[in-house]
Amino acid sequence: MTSIDGQHWSWKSVSAVWDHRQDYDARCAHTTLQPSSSPSLLSVVLMLCTLWPAIALPLAPGNIGNVFAMKEGDGRILQRSKRGWMWNQFFLMEEYTGNDHQYVGKLHSNMDKDDGTVKYVLTGDGAGTLFLIDEKSGDIHATKRLDREERSMYTLHAKVLDRTTNEELEPDTEFNIKIHDINDNAPKFERDIYFASVPEMSEVGTSVATVTATDADDQTYGNSAKLVYSILQGQPYFSVDSENGTIKTALPGMDREVKENYQVVIQAKDMAGQMGGLSGTTTVGITLSDVNDSPPRFANHSFRITATESTEIGGAVGRIKADDSDVGRNAEMEYSMVGSHDNFNVVTDKATQEGVIIIKRALDYESKRDYEFRVEVRNTYLDARYIQGLEFKDFATVKVTVEDVDEPPVFTRNPYIIEVHEDTAAGSFVGVVSARDPDAENKMVKYSIDRHTDLERLFNIDSSNGTITTRKALDREMSKWHNISVMAAEMNNPRQVARVPVFIKVLDVNDNAPEFAMAYDTFVCENVEAGQLIQTISAVDTDEPLVGHKFVFSIKADNPNFTISDQEDNTANILTRRGGFSRREMSVYFLPVVISDNDYPIQSSTSTLIVRVCACDSRGNMQSCNPEVLPFSDGLTTGALVAILLCVIILLMIVVLFAALKRQRKKEPLIISKDDVRDNVVSYNDEGGGEEDTQAFDIGTLRNPEVMDANKLRRDIIPEMLFSFRRTSPIKDNADVRDFINGRLQENDSDPTAPPYDSLATYAYEGSGSLAESLSSLESATTEGDQEYDYLSSWGPQFKKLAEMYIGRSPDRQT
């Protein structure tokens, strides 16, 4: 809203006439003036639209000096007048490259009398930094180059103030600065390289992939962002839709087996593909995927295979293979026999797509040496689109030649089962095994028993005819079966060996008598009555008769104490014949029982049943079975005598033991305390009156070693045995310390009482009152001039360095 000549007028986007050049006709059709539009003004606007190319430049933002408006209320047309107008929208081209600030437009108020009293103030987006306004003239300039892709519109507010009082002369007015687009962005694809695939043999126009580019320019203004796609590389195999970038096949019958990979370069160009537009490219790698359009074929329709006759059943003797130019599932093949064959079969190796010839039945060079059969190969997966006119299978002939090998002997049976009775004597016949050489030469065969299977050496075999005999008597109760291994080897080639298991079953003979099934604990009560059952017995027999066991039990008929009743079920009951048993008279009864079997020959045995006499309660429950010992009996029982004898023997052993312990002497150990360790160092901790104490060791010995006690022993060791020894006399020249030390060393080496370990003796005897006097340098004279060290040169080579040090420092030698 602004004021012109005191009248208030409203306006709307007449500036839309030049808003978008491309669609100005449509925009002009919708341009309106408010509050009403007179025919004359509308005709003027339409005329502006019609003459747009001629007036576009004069009507550009910033160059507008004339505006048409309608007065509110009366419809009177205003006449043209050169006045400044403030528009609600300005237009500015992006990427301005000039050196000066880019002019945007001009704000002018009818309150401005051009006398300098009016001040224009700009606020809003970028005001003061990006956009500057001249306070006096109202001219707006852009200080920087603008990028529509960063921001396409700025909203600002303009104020008209009195320069003196800063009062607002007109209300705050909002307007926009719209950035016009230029073609400054090239189209870009999402990726530099695309990958796609299409089945081979596809029809022309088959869609492969769609690649799309984007343009950052304005999509609604001009052709800056209108893209056109074209193919730069990949013709004549492929084409591209110019509008949406869809790649399609352009050549029929493209065969993967001829060429599999293609590289296609697609270009996207803006400005609708016109000259001067920007472009971007991308590369599409297209692979032809396989279809099953190639049948399997044998390169050679005849195969020759050699097989040895020793090949095991199920073993492979050779492989055949057909070729299929397809890949993956389309190249999978299956081999099969044409017709049936007794000796051979073919299976498919899925990993290598080969046909494997295997043995169904053992080959024999001596029987048949040549075989011939046909094999068929076909694809396992067929594509109905390509099977017409092609046969997706092929045939080949396979010839197998059998080679002879030196085979080991072959037994007539495998295994052998032989039966022999257990009472067979040593050297008896057991059975015969037979083997032959399957080769045409039919070599002689030698037999033997693998002794690892006959560790007890119970059997022998005749090496020439294979007759097996016993070496020892056999016992079925020890072992019912004997499993041995018989070997047959060729006479001329012992390495050709065959084995056969021989199972020898030992037949039973009734040679064992029956016996008690278990050990019975039988007792009879003292108060038992006649005919009382005291035990039920049964028997076992290690033999195995054909009709089962039948045992007969019996005892002596004149037994006054017990009787037996056979139950006819391999058990018998022991009954009392009388009552009134007494432990004092007899505590244990031994009852012989005869047990017989019913096999041939009849075997019997006698087993003794031990019956104890026990005290029982009224119900017959056992209480005690120990015999009672009367205090006033006429004589001692056998058990009492045995107990007394054992006691006497034990007492004698105790007395002998104590006597032996008393006589034993305990030797005192050499080292009593665990802390007394004499491994390396013997320390003589003799101390007393300090430097004056010379009683712990006779220092005179150093002066005169001859006065040493020849029989003096070490005090820290008490030897168990004393040996006579002879000490060597020290050298007379006791002034020579070296000779003294060597003499002492020889004495210790020849001394048998010396400890058998390394030791260190410390002679720490010195002082002013001792015979050795002080060895310390602390009490030496303050000057060394009085000292004479010439004697050091006579001490030998060991003291040569010391002599050079002290003799060389003598004052008289230095001069």
Side-chain angles (χ1 to χ4, degrees):
M1 178 73 68
T2 186
S3 176
I4 301 176
D5 296 334
Q7 301 292 332
H8 294 281
W9 301 87
S10 76
W11 52 266
K12 205 171 181 180
S13 56
V14 177
S15 62
V17 174
W18 56 79
D19 192 2
H20 296 289
R21 178 177 179 179
Q22 183 179 4
D23 52 352
Y24 68 90
D25 292 332
R27 291 184 178 273
C28 289
H30 293 85
T31 302
T32 58
L33 297 175
Q34 295 179 355
S36 60
S37 298
S38 64
S40 59
L41 182 58
L42 180 59
S43 60
V44 172
V45 173
L46 292 178
M47 181 185 66
L48 290 175
C49 294
T50 304
L51 300 177
W52 168 257
I55 65 174
L57 184 61
L59 292 180
N63 297 327
I64 299 174
N66 303 296
V67 170
F68 299 92
M70 179 176 284
K71 181 179 179 183
E72 292 181 358
D74 58 1
R76 181 172 54 89
I77 298 176
L78 297 179
Q79 299 298 322
R80 180 176 179 182
S81 175
K82 288 186 177 182
R83 299 182 63 87
W85 292 86
M86 181 180 69
W87 301 92
N88 69 335
Q89 183 161 297
F90 293 92
F91 298 88
L92 187 67
M93 301 297 291
E94 66 170 337
E95 303 296 343
Y96 174 70
T97 58
N99 295 326
D100 298 333
H101 290 174
Q102 186 177 5
Y103 182 73
V104 177
K106 182 181 182 66
L107 296 179
H108 189 77
S109 173
N110 55 2
M111 301 297 293
D112 187 1
K113 306 302 181 181
D114 295 330
D115 55 1
T117 60
V118 174
K119 180 174 68 173
Y120 297 93
V121 177
L122 189 66
T123 60
D125 297 336
T129 56
L130 187 60
F131 299 103
L132 299 178
I133 188 171
D134 190 321
E135 294 181 352
K136 295 181 179 180
S137 63
D139 293 332
I140 302 174
H141 291 81
T143 61
K144 299 180 180 179
R145 185 171 61 180
L146 303 180
D147 189 357
R148 190 203 65 83
E149 285 71 37
E150 293 181 1
R151 187 165 182 178
S152 60
M153 182 178 291
Y154 297 86
T155 301
L156 295 99
H157 296 266
K159 293 183 179 180
V160 180
L161 304 178
D162 185 285
R163 183 178 296 276
T164 304
T165 62
N166 284 333
E167 293 183 359
E168 291 188 2
L169 301 179
E170 287 193 9
D172 187 303
T173 303
E174 179 181 288
F175 66 95
N176 299 324
I177 299 178
K178 184 176 181 181
I179 309 301
H180 263 312
D181 181 54
I182 65 172
N183 189 21
D184 60 341
N185 291 279
K188 291 184 179 180
F189 289 92
E190 294 181 0
R191 288 181 288 178
D192 294 334
I193 299 178
Y194 292 84
F195 295 95
S197 64
V198 62
E200 62 175 333
M201 298 296 176
S202 296
E203 297 180 357
V204 175
T206 302
S207 177
V208 179
T210 300
V211 291
T212 304
T214 57
D215 196 321
D217 292 325
D218 192 355
Q219 301 288 337
T220 62
Y221 177 76
N223 294 328
S224 298
K226 186 175 182 180
L227 305 181
V228 174
Y229 297 92
S230 61
I231 183 168
L232 301 182
Q233 178 181 332
Q235 295 174 333
Y237 307 102
F238 301 95
S239 63
V240 65
D241 191 308
S242 61
E243 295 183 358
N244 54 28
T246 300
I247 302 173
K248 301 178 181 179
T249 58
L251 191 67
M254 288 191 292
D255 192 356
R256 185 198 65 84
E257 287 73 29
V258 177
K259 185 176 181 180
E260 182 178 5
N261 298 311
Y262 297 85
Q263 186 170 344
V264 178
V265 178
I266 302 298
Q267 181 190 63
K269 190 173 184 180
D270 59 12
M271 296 296 293
Q274 298 177 6
M275 185 177 296
L278 303 178
S279 63
T281 60
T282 185
T283 302
V284 183
I286 301 177
T287 302
L288 296 183
S289 60
D290 185 61
V291 298
N292 192 12
D293 59 340
S294 299
R297 290 289 182 264
F298 284 108
N300 185 4
H301 288 80
S302 180
F303 294 88
R304 283 191 172 273
I305 297 175
T306 301
T308 59
E309 61 175 336
S310 60
T311 305
E312 298 180 354
I313 297 176
V317 296
R319 290 172 175 258
I320 60 176
K321 186 175 183 180
D323 298 325
D324 192 333
S325 55
D326 294 323
V327 294
R329 185 179 68 166
N330 298 321
E332 293 180 359
M333 295 175 285
E334 184 178 5
Y335 298 84
S336 60
M337 300 285 291
V338 178
S340 60
H341 201 281
D342 296 334
N343 294 85
F344 299 96
N345 194 13
V346 61
V347 296
T348 304
D349 188 341
K350 298 297 184 181
T352 61
Q353 295 299 311
E354 293 177 320
V356 183
I357 308 300
I358 62 173
I359 300 296
K360 288 177 58 179
R361 192 169 65 180
L363 303 178
D364 187 4
Y365 174 82
E366 290 72 24
S367 300
K368 189 175 181 180
R369 303 180 182 181
D370 296 300
Y371 298 88
E372 183 176 333
F373 50 88
R374 296 186 71 198
V375 175
E376 176 189 279
V377 62
R378 64 173 61 226
N379 282 130
T380 57
Y381 169 77
L382 298 178
D383 193 334
R385 296 176 297 175
Y386 307 104
I387 60 177
Q388 296 179 1
L390 291 176
E391 188 176 6
F392 279 77
K393 61 182 179 180
D394 200 5
F395 301 91
T397 301
V398 180
K399 297 180 180 180
V400 180
T401 301
V402 181
E403 289 185 345
D404 185 29
V405 295
D406 189 4
E407 300 175 90
V410 177
F411 285 94
T412 56
R413 286 191 294 166
N414 188 1
Y416 286 87
I417 300 177
I418 303 174
E419 295 181 349
V420 61
H421 287 87
E422 64 175 325
D423 60 349
T424 301
S428 300
F429 173 81
V430 176
V432 178
V433 296
S434 177
R436 66 174 183 85
D437 183 9
D439 297 324
E441 299 179 2
N442 194 15
K443 301 175 184 178
M444 297 295 295
V445 175
K446 180 180 179 180
Y447 301 93
S448 62
I449 295 177
D450 187 355
R451 291 304 177 185
H452 292 90
T453 62
D454 185 24
L455 298 177
E456 299 179 0
R457 295 182 175 270
L458 299 177
F459 303 97
N460 274 336
I461 189 170
D462 191 306
S463 61
S464 59
N465 57 26
T467 300
I468 301 175
T469 57
T470 59
R471 293 186 62 188
K472 300 178 182 179
L474 304 179
D475 187 0
R476 192 200 66 84
E477 284 69 38
M478 295 294 296
S479 179
K480 299 179 181 180
W481 287 88
H482 295 279
N483 304 330
I484 64 174
S485 179
V486 175
M487 299 180 294
E490 294 181 2
M491 285 286 193
N492 299 334
N493 188 5
R495 292 179 296 179
Q496 293 295 338
V497 179
R499 293 173 175 267
V500 67
V502 179
F503 303 110
I504 301 174
K505 182 180 181 180
V506 181
L507 300 178
D508 184 44
V509 174
N510 191 25
D511 57 349
N512 293 280
E515 57 187 8
F516 279 154
M518 58 182 297
Y520 295 100
D521 184 13
T522 307
F523 68 94
V524 61
C525 296
E526 290 181 313
N527 57 355
V528 70
E529 297 179 356
Q532 183 72 40
L533 174 64
I534 63 173
Q535 185 67 58
T536 299
I537 60 175
S538 62
V540 293
D541 193 343
T542 55
D543 294 324
E544 292 183 357
L546 298 177
V547 295
H549 291 290
K550 177 62 178 176
F551 302 123
V552 178
F553 301 89
S554 64
I555 62 174
K556 290 183 179 181
D558 58 350
N559 191 309
N561 300 312
F562 304 99
T563 184
I564 190 169
S565 175
D566 195 335
Q567 301 298 309
E568 302 295 334
D569 60 353
N570 292 337
T571 64
N573 294 333
I574 305 299
L575 307 173
T576 57
R577 187 182 289 273
R578 67 178 180 87
F581 290 91
S582 176
R583 287 178 293 167
R584 295 180 182 180
E585 296 177 359
M586 183 69 70
S587 61
V588 178
Y589 292 91
F590 298 94
L591 179 62
V593 178
V594 179
I595 309 174
S596 304
D597 58 19
N598 65 338
D599 205 352
Y600 179 84
I602 297 176
Q603 300 289 337
S604 63
S605 66
T606 301
S607 300
T608 301
L609 182 66
I610 301 175
V611 182
R612 296 181 298 157
V613 180
C614 301
C616 302
D617 56 13
S618 59
R619 297 181 179 179
N621 297 323
M622 181 182 63
Q623 293 181 341
S624 175
C625 293
N626 295 326
E628 296 181 358
V629 180
L630 299 178
F632 300 102
S633 60
D634 296 336
L636 296 175
T637 62
T638 304
L641 292 176
V642 173
I644 294 173
L645 181 61
L646 290 176
C647 292
V648 172
I649 293 174
I650 292 173
L651 290 175
L652 290 176
M653 292 177 63
I654 294 174
V655 172
V656 173
L657 181 61
F658 273 103
L661 293 175
K662 186 175 181 180
R663 294 177 183 178
Q664 185 179 4
R665 292 182 178 179
K666 184 178 180 182
K667 296 182 179 180
E668 183 179 358
L670 178 63
I671 299 176
I672 300 176
S673 175
K674 295 182 179 179
D675 298 333
D676 191 2
V677 180
R678 299 182 175 92
D679 288 339
N680 298 312
V681 179
V682 178
S683 177
Y684 296 91
N685 296 322
D686 300 315
E687 58 181 341
E691 302 293 340
E692 303 295 334
D693 189 357
T694 59
Q695 295 181 2
F697 186 84
D698 188 3
I699 196 62
T701 304
L702 296 175
R703 301 291 186 182
N704 188 10
E706 294 180 348
V707 301
M708 290 180 58
D709 186 3
N711 296 325
K712 187 175 181 180
L713 302 178
R714 289 183 55 173
R715 293 178 294 175
D716 58 340
I717 297 178
I718 303 176
E720 294 184 1
M721 298 180 63
L722 299 177
F723 297 90
S724 59
F725 62 93
R726 180 180 180 183
R727 295 183 182 272
T728 58
S729 299
I731 302 176
K732 297 298 183 178
D733 189 5
N734 54 11
D736 193 344
V737 178
R738 180 189 61 185
D739 295 339
F740 166 72
I741 294 175
N742 292 334
R744 293 301 301 272
L745 178 61
Q746 295 177 3
E747 289 177 11
N748 284 276
D749 291 341
S750 61
D751 188 1
T753 62
Y757 43 77
D758 295 338
S759 62
L760 176 65
T762 303
Y763 300 94
Y765 307 109
E766 58 175 326
S768 59
S770 66
L771 298 178
E773 297 183 351
S774 177
L775 301 179
S776 174
S777 61
L778 297 177
E779 298 179 2
S780 302
T782 56
T783 62
E784 297 180 357
D786 299 333
Q787 302 293 331
E788 295 292 338
Y789 302 101
D790 294 340
Y791 60 88
L792 294 176
S793 59
S794 62
W795 282 16
Q798 291 86 345
F799 299 90
K800 180 179 179 181
K801 186 67 177 177
L802 184 64
E804 293 177 355
M805 293 173 58
Y806 283 89
I807 295 176
R809 294 175 58 186
S810 178
D812 55 352
R813 294 182 182 274
Q814 294 177 358
T815 57

